[in-house]
Amino acid sequence: MSSRTDTLARRGLMLVISSPSGAGKSSLSRRLIAEHDHLGLSVSCTTRAPRPGETDGVEYHFVSPDRFAELIAEDAFLEWADVHDHRYGTLRAPVLAALESGRDLVFDIDWQGGRQITDRAAEDAVRVFILPPDLPALRARLQGRAQDSAEVIERRLTRATEEIAHYAEYDYVIVNDDFDRAYEQLRRIYQGEQLRRRRLPGLDAFVAGVMAGRV
Ligand code: ADP
Ligand code: 5GP
């Protein structure tokens, strides 16, 4: 059912989702994107190699270390960081275009990126941290995902506590124990944040119209 308020212009938001690797942020984000037409994934650049099943331009833009360095020199990144021995970064131009056209983006980025986005675009950012219920569950999920070698999994687990230590820099924290429950919490955060007054530049005109009896 549509209503008059559906036509209100809205500025897009940046849904920054961080967690230790394996806590479930990709699964939660994928479902949120699949269920919301105006929400897409911010596709980062990375210097790591594609995993089986990953496609250039879909999960990531896979670039060489030299190309990544050029993009840094051109100031093309909204944020970038070294994570797990590789470089990851968010290109600025597609993000700004999306926000201006009222589209929302999910950012699957680490705490370093979350911090840089807060410094540069705090008004547009909504930061959500996903916690695992405990470390054995995190290990089991990384093993169950069957994408990484035992050695890579051990490194990700070592880094998990470092990532978790930054949970207090986020606006919202979700414990992903039961997936459906965690998803419902994320959906409510996203839908509530869309209604923030500062994201509705058409509101003044709308209210003026209400007052004047035009709507
Ligand atoms: P991340 O993106 O944070 O690295 P993923 O979304 O890839 O994590 O999830 C890691 C693995 O854990 C995947 O195999 C996923 O299906 C599984 N998973 C995610 N959430 C849950 C949950 N609540 N309970 C059990 N398994 C989960
Ligand atoms: P993966 O290699 O498993 O895809 O990602 C490893 C880590 O890099 C994850 O914690 C993910 O959130 C983070 N990451 C992915 N893209 C970016 C990015 O553009 N910027 C930052 N800062 N971190 C990223």
Side-chain angles (χ1 to χ4, degrees):
M1 197 174 69
S2 70
S3 76
R4 281 186 186 123
T5 48
D6 288 347
T7 58
L8 266 177
R10 187 168 72 78
R11 181 168 170 79
L13 60 80
M14 303 164 76
L15 192 61
V16 175
I17 306 188
S18 303
S19 79
S21 185
K25 62 188 170 308
S26 308
S27 316
L28 290 165
S29 308
R30 267 199 297 273
R31 179 156 163 201
L32 195 70
I33 290 166
E35 293 187 5
H36 294 88
D37 287 345
H38 296 283
L39 181 66
L41 181 69
S42 166
V43 180
S44 299
C45 296
T46 182
T47 58
R48 83 153 163 76
R51 295 190 188 119
E54 286 184 334
T55 309
D56 188 34
V58 178
E59 288 82 8
Y60 285 103
H61 302 292
F62 295 98
V63 301
S64 67
D66 285 349
R67 178 68 189 133
F68 201 98
E70 274 172 20
L71 290 167
I72 295 174
E74 290 165 15
D75 197 25
F77 288 121
L78 180 61
E79 63 76 34
W80 67 272
D82 289 310
V83 189
H84 302 310
D85 309 328
H86 295 289
R87 287 189 157 175
Y88 295 81
T90 304
L91 291 170
R92 190 192 313 273
V95 173
L96 296 185
L99 299 189
E100 276 157 26
S101 67
R103 277 178 295 122
D104 304 317
L105 289 173
V106 170
F107 295 75
D108 174 342
I109 62 177
D110 84 328
W111 67 270
Q112 304 174 83
R115 191 180 272 184
Q116 292 172 51
I117 284 189
T118 309
D119 290 345
R120 287 164 203 174
E123 295 257 297
D124 293 324
V126 179
R127 293 155 305 169
V128 181
F129 197 88
I130 310 293
L131 281 173
D134 50 47
L135 291 181
L138 191 64
R139 177 185 292 273
R141 285 179 197 176
L142 284 169
Q143 287 167 344
R145 191 166 68 180
Q147 277 181 339
D148 300 302
S149 66
E151 187 203 334
V152 169
I153 289 177
E154 286 316 311
R155 262 193 282 138
R156 285 174 186 259
L157 283 167
T158 307
R159 203 169 176 280
T161 47
E162 191 190 312
E163 184 79 27
I164 290 172
H166 292 276
Y167 78 94
E169 294 173 31
Y170 287 73
D171 303 307
Y172 300 93
V173 178
I174 295 174
V175 180
N176 179 18
D177 190 352
D178 178 77
F179 184 83
D180 288 339
R181 186 162 179 275
Y183 174 72
E184 194 51 26
Q185 291 172 343
L186 181 63
R187 189 187 65 73
R188 279 190 265 134
I189 291 165
Y190 170 54
Q191 293 187 351
E193 284 285 345
Q194 291 177 11
L195 298 176
R196 282 222 188 252
R197 184 162 48 80
R198 66 169 180 268
R199 302 197 210 290
L200 298 169
L203 203 51
D204 286 351
F206 177 78
V207 172
V210 170
M211 302 293 222
R214 287 199 300 272
V215 287

